[in-house]
Amino acid sequence: MKQATSALISYLTNNNNAVVTDLYTFALVNGQIIRVMDYPLANLIVPSANLPGSPLNSSGGNITFTRGPKFGRSKVSTKIGIEPSDLEVNVYAGSTDLIGDLSWQALTVVGGFDGCTVELDRFFFPIGGDGINGSLNVNLGGIVWFYGKVSDSEISRSLVTFKVKSLLLLLQQQTMPRRLFQTGCTHIFGDTMCGYNRFDGKNALGISTGVGHVDITALAASSQTDIVCASVGSSANYTLGSCTGLSGQNAGITVGIVSFATSTVVGLSKPFPYPVQIGDTFRLLPGCDHTSSTCMNVFNNLLRYGGFDYIPPPELSV
């Protein structure tokens, strides 16, 4: 059931007209939250109590939504039951519509919106008051209209389209059976089933392996896709791992590692959104190729190996 403030319920019960605007909240995976609105004002300050039931805007106090680019979206349907729905959001962003130093298109290209959570709120004002048919001093509150995660995005020169899937879709993505018999390990490296501590470099039994986090400093010739650093002795163990910015403009942003050439060049799976400056620091966490030899010889964690190396190939199965 959708929640609403008592003021909004009372107003809609006794009035046929209201000013309505859309509020968009984008929660990126790096922790950054973008709040924009489809309303002709620079800023809109909303008490969090006026957004009851909001997953992303219920922290208390006042929340500020800034005027963003023009938005368009598909219709939202509400049904009884657990049928998942989706939402298509069109962002008509120009060169002056920026998120920090990046345009909406640039941030989308580098994966900034991958897996981000989106909340759409419908916000109501009474008729009359400030010259644009709505009174900002007497806002009635809002209703959470849609909530989900970005599943896909498309980019053009002046348009970014996000396809947002309802979280109910997760109920359809349960893998059955839970475990599969295959040669490669099915655990996620570092999860509860694996038990390896990627930060401290300890296996599931708490025994140190010496392969944990490493902090590096960017040297000359570093770029957004390749970070040059001092030699890291066990560099091969960080391929398929992760690289997180600790300082500079990319602080808090994590990307994957696809190579570690000559122990001094970290090759990234996608570029950092901001330029890498000399002296910027990054934290590397090891990766795993999910083979028994790596699990045994590198991470000393064979007791938690989740693969079956000696299972026959499918063509020999009965």
Side-chain angles (χ1 to χ4, degrees):
M1 179 180 295
K2 295 185 182 295
Q3 301 182 44
T5 63
S6 57
L8 177 57
I9 295 174
S10 176
Y11 182 87
L12 295 180
T13 301
N14 298 290
N15 297 273
N16 295 324
N17 299 309
V19 176
V20 185
T21 185
D22 286 344
L23 307 181
Y24 293 89
T25 304
F26 297 84
L28 309 188
V29 294
N30 65 0
Q32 182 181 4
I33 296 182
I34 303 167
R35 294 184 174 95
V36 289
M37 62 178 175
D38 192 9
Y39 200 76
L41 288 177
N43 293 297
L44 177 63
I45 300 176
V46 178
S48 60
N50 284 9
L51 290 172
S54 170
L56 300 179
N57 299 304
S58 59
S59 58
N62 293 330
I63 301 171
T64 301
F65 289 84
T66 60
R67 184 178 182 181
K70 292 183 180 297
F71 285 88
R73 62 174 177 84
S74 60
K75 294 182 178 180
V76 176
S77 61
T78 302
K79 301 179 182 178
I80 297 176
I82 59 172
E83 180 181 347
S85 58
D86 55 16
L87 174 71
E88 184 173 288
V89 179
N90 295 318
V91 184
Y92 299 92
S95 58
T96 59
D97 296 307
L98 301 178
I99 302 173
D101 296 329
L102 297 178
S103 66
W104 285 75
Q105 289 87 342
L107 187 59
T108 304
V109 167
V110 299
F113 289 99
D114 291 354
C116 94
T117 305
V118 179
E119 178 180 325
L120 167 65
D121 301 308
R122 295 283 278 167
F123 207 73
F124 295 80
F125 303 94
I127 291 294
D130 66 348
I132 53 173
N133 299 323
S135 176
L136 295 181
N137 296 322
V138 191
N139 61 70
L140 300 170
I143 300 174
V144 179
W145 212 240
F146 190 87
Y147 181 73
K149 284 185 175 293
V150 171
S151 63
D152 195 11
S153 59
E154 298 178 2
I155 309 167
S156 65
R157 179 174 299 178
S158 59
L159 174 66
V160 179
T161 300
F162 299 112
K163 298 183 184 301
V164 187
K165 298 291 186 181
S166 168
L167 295 185
L168 289 175
L169 189 66
L170 297 176
L171 298 176
Q172 299 181 345
Q173 296 177 346
Q174 301 300 318
T175 301
M176 296 297 291
R178 177 70 174 84
R179 295 292 304 280
L180 298 176
F181 291 93
Q182 62 184 45
T183 54
C185 180
T186 58
H187 300 331
I188 298 174
F189 185 43
D191 70 357
T192 303
M193 296 291 288
C194 170
Y196 189 83
N197 189 322
R198 298 172 67 200
F199 185 86
D200 293 331
K202 296 181 180 179
N203 66 9
L205 299 177
I207 301 174
S208 178
T209 64
V211 185
H213 78 281
V214 172
D215 294 343
I216 62 173
T217 301
L219 303 178
S222 294
S223 67
Q224 291 170 251
T225 55
D226 296 285
I227 300 175
V228 180
C229 62
S231 177
V232 176
S234 55
S235 60
N237 300 326
Y238 293 89
T239 300
L240 303 181
S242 62
C243 176
T244 303
L246 298 180
S247 66
Q249 289 181 293
N250 294 300
I253 301 175
T254 300
V255 298
I257 302 173
V258 294
S259 65
F260 210 144
T262 65
S263 302
T264 60
V265 181
V266 182
L268 305 176
S269 59
K270 61 183 179 183
F272 274 109
Y274 302 103
V276 175
Q277 307 293 336
I278 297 175
D280 287 353
T281 55
F282 299 86
R283 175 162 294 165
L284 310 182
L285 294 180
C288 180
D289 61 3
H290 299 278
T291 62
S292 59
S293 60
T294 298
C295 189
M296 177 175 62
N297 300 323
V298 178
F299 302 114
N300 191 21
N301 202 39
L302 194 60
L303 290 176
R304 292 292 188 95
Y305 182 65
F308 303 87
D309 283 4
Y310 303 104
I311 191 170
E315 55 268 21
L316 296 181
S317 62
V318 178

